[in-house]
């Protein structure tokens, strides 16, 4: 029999209590978190994984260790980690926050409270559960949890339009940068059953649904150390923990999702869409499933066939990126001849962000590109050319990529003098722009800890392919010169998209952002209303707001 919240461990007093209050977590919320933690059992494997994750969180200090940024040695996280109950609470909250927005994670905690049948009078508000999630977020960001989640996801990269029959899914490129999370009630119901299995009160669970199944499988395998088997929608086994012995405790089947709330038939749970609770979902883009993926294969993983097409054009991609490196070098070194480019807001002065240093950054960031025959030599060759030759190389390569791309955007550009954004984010040109912009971000990021570098999110990587293809006015508007006789890109829009730079003319009203926030890459797109949690990547976000004066972000 589990203790009620009033019978849980006493709230820490004195200095620890002040730290909790500083994190926005009230005593009743601490008690509620400990009550929820009583619902699961962590064996030695789960505890050691969490202790390792907690030990890896870092902090940056100043003023003689009077001020601490991130995770200090006396932070909320380390105070919670002094007890097993606290570690279990951190495990629930940090794993939820790692794969979901903090808002949805807080709703899941609320639903867990209700499915656990705890007294309503002790239930914290959503705002308080949100504070608990924020204070715990980032703990497992450097752990193997993200890799396990990516493995469990397998090939199930799809978007779930509302009202669509999801049966018969095959392998498909991720579209529009979104993996859609399930609703909070369904997630909580499945987690509650997992917790029962961890306590020995149930023997197995079957979970059907979309990409949210990956999260349930990752929790079961990495945190609870249960035996997991995963099948795709066609019945092929993606993972089976019982090959070395034992029986399946968690069976995951990707397949038909349901528009209904969670359905329980025996021990079978169906994870429905997040849109099933429409009153809590003001904007479907705010509730993605957030999954990290290794740098070593991220381009093929996220951009799929579009990257394959691009990698078969090493001369065009090499001409584009090598030309960009040369143009950045001219701007960074104060060259007088920069054509019609503007230095307004240009801040790429790190040696890793221009010239051959930028080429090194591209290759070190994306190991997949190093394997493309002749690609690096092509970039270096163009980077050694004059500024004017490099500019022409960039222009001709983009026109060449556009002419070979079959997406709606590029096709429309070839067929009309107008412009349409009715397209998926993934096109050949957009992927080329994403490679440039992500490498530019990474040229200013230092990953200090060997072997535990922060991995990018699938959602964040995908979002970068849209940054370089911003809507522009039809060709010829306001007297701006078009890129060529057929392209819909104006000269000004070409500069902003291909380089992230201004065109030096009064008609160019582009709102320049010198560096896309590293938080977009490492956390994925989040709601503007979503507050910042105390994580290393959020510290990085705060620094990026001062990108005009500070260009190095340390993890």
């Amino acid at each position: 029999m589990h203790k009620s919240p009033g019978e849980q461990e006493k709230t820490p007093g004195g200095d620890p209590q002040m730290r909790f209050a500083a994190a926005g977590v009230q005593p009743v919320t601490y008690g509620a978190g400990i009550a929820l933690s009583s619902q699961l059992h962590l064996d030695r494997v789960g505890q050691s994984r969490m202790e390792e994750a907690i030990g890896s969180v870092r902090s940056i200090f100043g003023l003689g260790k009077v001020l601490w940024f991130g995770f200090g040695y006396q932070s909320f996280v380390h105070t919670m980690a002094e007890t097993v109950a606290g570690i279990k609470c951190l495990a629930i909250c940090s794993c939820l926050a790692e794969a979901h927005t903090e808002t949805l994670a807080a709703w899941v905690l609320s639903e867990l409270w209700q499915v656990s049948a705890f007294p309503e009078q002790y239930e914290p508000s959503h705002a308080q559960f949100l504070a608990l999630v924020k204070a715990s977020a980032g703990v497992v960001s450097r752990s193997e949890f993200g890799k396990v989640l990516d493995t469990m996801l397998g090939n199930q990269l799809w978007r779930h339009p509302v009202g669509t029959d999801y049966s018969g899914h095959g392998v498909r490129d991720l579209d529009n940068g979104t993996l859609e999370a399930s609703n909070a009630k369904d997630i909580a119901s499945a987690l509650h059953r997992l917790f029962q299995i961890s306590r020995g009160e149930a023997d197995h669970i079957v979970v059907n649904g979309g990409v949210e199944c990956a999260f349930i499988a990752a929790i079961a395998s990495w945190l609870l150390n249960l035996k997991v088997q995963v099948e795709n929608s066609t019945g092929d086994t993606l993972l089976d923990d019982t090959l070395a012995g034992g029986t399946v405790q968690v069976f995951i089947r990707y397949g038909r999702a349901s528009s209904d709330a969670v359905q329980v038939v025996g021990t079978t749970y169906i994870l429905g869409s997040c849109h099933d609770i429409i009153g809590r979902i003001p904007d479907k883009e705010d509730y993605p499933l957030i999954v990290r993926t290794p740098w070593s294969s991220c381009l093929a993983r996220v951009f799929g066939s579009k990257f394959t097409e691009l990698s078969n054009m090493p001369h065009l991609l090499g001409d584009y990126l090598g030309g960009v490196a040369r143009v950045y070098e001219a701007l960074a070194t104060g060259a007088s001849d920069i054509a019609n480019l503007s230095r307004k807001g240009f801040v790429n002065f790190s040696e890793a962000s221009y010239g051959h240093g930028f080429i090194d950054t591209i290759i070190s960031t994306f190991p997949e590109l190093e394997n493309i025959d002749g690609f690096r030599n092509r970039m270096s060759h163009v980077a050694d050319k004059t500024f004017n030759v490099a500019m022409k190389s960039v222009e001709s390569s983009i026109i060449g990529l556009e002419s070979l791309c079959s997406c709606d955007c590029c096709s429309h550009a070839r067929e009309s003098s107008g412009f349409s954004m009715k397209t998926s984010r993934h096109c050949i040109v957009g992927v080329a722009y994403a490679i440039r912009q992500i490498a530019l971000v990474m040229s200013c990021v230092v990953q200090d800890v060997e072997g535990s570098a922060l991995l990018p999110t699938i959602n964040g990587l995908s979002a970068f392919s849209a940054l370089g293809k911003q809507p522009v006015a039809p060709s010829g508007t306001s007297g701006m010169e078009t890129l060529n006789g057929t392209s819909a890109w104006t000269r000004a829009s070409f500069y902003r998209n291909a380089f992230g730079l201004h065109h030096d003319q009064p008609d160019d009203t582009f709102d320049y952002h010198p560096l896309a926030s590293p938080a977009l890459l490492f956390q994925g797109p989040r709601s503007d209303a979503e507050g910042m949690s105390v994580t290393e990547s959020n510290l990085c976000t705060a620094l990026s707001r001062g990108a005009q004066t500070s260009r190095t972000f340390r993890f």
Side-chain angles (χ1 to χ4, degrees):
M1 180 175 178
H2 300 290
K3 297 179 181 179
S4 68
E7 299 174 315
Q8 298 298 327
E9 298 177 22
K10 297 297 183 182
T11 303
D15 195 42
Q17 190 172 24
M18 293 176 62
R19 294 189 206 110
F20 284 15
V25 178
Q26 298 302 317
V28 67
T29 309
Y30 166 79
I34 298 302
L36 288 175
S37 73
S38 70
Q39 297 296 290
L40 78 153
H41 170 72
L42 285 186
D43 64 8
R44 295 300 182 190
V45 174
Q47 285 190 43
S48 65
R49 286 171 177 168
M50 278 305 302
E51 288 170 356
E52 183 179 354
I54 293 167
S56 71
V57 297
R58 298 178 58 250
S59 60
I60 296 175
F61 57 86
L63 298 181
K65 297 188 179 181
V66 174
L67 289 178
W68 289 80
F69 306 90
F71 298 100
Y73 68 97
Q74 290 183 325
S75 70
F76 170 87
V77 168
H78 289 100
T79 301
M80 288 285 285
E82 292 174 356
T83 64
V84 173
I87 291 175
K88 292 194 293 183
C89 179
L90 287 174
I92 298 172
C93 296
S94 61
C95 287
L96 279 170
E98 177 67 11
H100 305 87
T101 64
E102 290 165 352
T103 299
L104 182 57
W107 283 123
V108 173
L109 293 181
S110 296
E111 296 291 349
L112 268 174
W113 184 273
Q114 294 177 30
V115 76
S116 300
F118 285 137
E120 183 178 0
Q121 62 265 34
Y122 294 112
E123 181 180 356
S125 65
H126 176 265
Q128 269 300 295
F129 272 133
L130 183 60
L132 183 61
V133 169
K134 286 178 179 291
S136 307
V139 171
V140 298
S141 292
R142 289 179 178 271
S143 72
E144 294 293 310
F145 178 75
K147 294 180 182 178
V148 172
L149 179 57
D150 186 45
T151 299
M152 297 300 183
L153 183 62
N155 292 324
Q156 313 304 312
L157 293 184
W158 62 68
R159 183 182 175 89
H160 293 338
V162 180
T164 298
D165 186 338
Y166 309 138
S167 59
H169 273 291
V171 178
R172 177 179 170 188
D173 289 349
L174 177 64
D175 188 27
N176 291 316
T178 300
L179 297 170
E180 184 181 293
S182 293
N183 64 66
K185 186 175 182 179
D186 287 10
I187 299 170
S189 296
L191 288 177
H192 181 66
R193 184 66 177 186
L194 289 183
F195 296 165
Q196 288 179 324
I197 296 173
S198 74
R199 301 194 308 264
E201 297 176 7
D203 54 5
H204 71 283
I205 178 177
V206 178
V207 182
N208 294 339
V211 294
E212 188 67 49
C213 289
F215 173 72
I216 301 300
I219 287 286
S221 178
W222 185 83
L223 183 62
L224 302 179
N225 197 31
L226 302 177
K227 297 292 185 180
V228 179
Q229 183 176 343
V230 183
E231 284 187 0
N232 64 16
S233 57
T234 60
D236 299 324
T237 300
L238 302 178
L239 180 140
D240 189 349
D241 285 339
T242 64
L243 294 178
T247 59
V248 175
Q249 295 171 289
V250 181
F251 181 74
I252 303 291
R253 181 188 295 115
Y254 289 106
R256 181 186 176 92
S258 172
S259 59
D260 301 321
V262 62
Q263 300 177 9
V264 183
V265 182
T267 56
T268 299
Y269 291 68
I270 299 179
L271 298 179
S273 168
C274 64
H275 304 292
D276 299 337
I277 307 180
I278 194 66
R280 293 182 180 174
I281 310 295
D283 185 345
K284 62 185 179 182
E285 295 293 342
D286 292 349
Y287 294 87
L289 181 72
I290 301 164
V291 182
R292 299 191 185 278
T293 195
W295 284 108
S296 59
S297 57
C298 65
L299 294 177
R301 174 74 164 141
V302 175
F303 301 116
S305 60
K306 295 303 179 183
F307 172 67
T308 301
E309 293 178 49
L310 190 61
S311 62
N312 290 329
M313 310 171 193
H315 58 295
L316 293 177
L317 183 60
D319 285 355
Y320 167 58
L321 295 174
V324 167
R326 177 65 182 87
V327 170
Y328 285 167
E329 181 180 25
L331 291 166
T333 57
S336 58
D337 182 11
I338 56 171
N340 291 322
L341 290 175
S342 171
R343 285 192 170 91
K344 180 181 178 181
F346 180 79
V347 291
N348 303 332
F349 298 107
S350 164
E351 290 184 359
S353 64
Y354 64 83
H356 287 277
F358 187 53
I359 292 175
D360 291 339
T361 299
I362 293 171
I363 296 298
S364 63
T365 301
F366 302 110
E368 296 159 283
L369 297 178
E370 190 170 16
N371 298 325
I372 299 177
D373 188 36
F375 172 67
R376 178 166 189 151
N377 290 338
R378 188 81 180 199
M379 284 195 297
S380 299
H381 176 72
V382 177
D384 288 332
K385 298 295 184 181
T386 65
F387 175 85
N388 290 330
V389 171
M391 284 290 292
K392 291 179 180 178
S393 177
V394 171
E395 182 173 323
S396 62
S397 61
I398 292 301
I399 293 173
L401 290 173
E402 181 186 270
S403 68
L404 296 172
C405 185
S406 59
C407 79
D408 294 341
C409 173
C410 293
S411 298
H412 189 85
R414 295 194 295 271
E415 297 168 3
S416 170
S417 59
F419 184 84
S420 172
M421 284 298 289
K422 294 180 179 180
T423 178
S424 68
R425 294 183 180 183
H426 293 170
C427 80
I428 295 175
V429 180
V431 174
Y433 289 156
I435 291 172
R436 183 212 77 228
Q437 187 61 34
I438 294 168
L440 195 59
V441 170
M442 293 305 295
S443 70
C444 306
V445 168
V446 178
Q447 299 257 27
D448 286 332
V449 184
E450 188 69 26
S452 60
L454 201 59
L455 299 178
T457 63
I458 289 176
N459 312 67
L461 288 165
S462 181
F464 272 88
S465 66
L467 294 179
K469 300 197 74 172
Q470 302 296 325
V472 294
S475 300
T477 300
S478 302
M480 288 190 283
E481 178 189 1
T482 58
L483 183 58
N484 69 358
T486 60
S487 176
W489 303 104
T490 64
R491 180 69 61 177
S493 66
F494 167 70
Y495 285 162
R496 76 185 64 160
N497 292 329
F499 299 106
L501 299 173
H502 275 292
H503 182 255
D504 192 13
Q505 59 173 286
D507 290 318
D508 183 10
T509 58
F510 173 48
D511 184 16
Y512 180 73
H513 297 282
L515 183 67
S517 171
L520 174 62
L521 181 62
F522 293 113
Q523 289 187 296
R526 304 276 180 149
S527 167
D528 290 339
E530 188 110 352
M532 302 304 292
S533 60
V534 187
T535 67
E536 295 161 311
S537 47
N538 284 333
L539 172 62
C540 180
T541 305
L543 290 172
S544 71
R545 292 171 179 165
Q548 297 287 350
T549 56
S550 176
R551 289 300 309 281
T552 299
F553 308 101
R554 188 170 298 275
F555 287 82

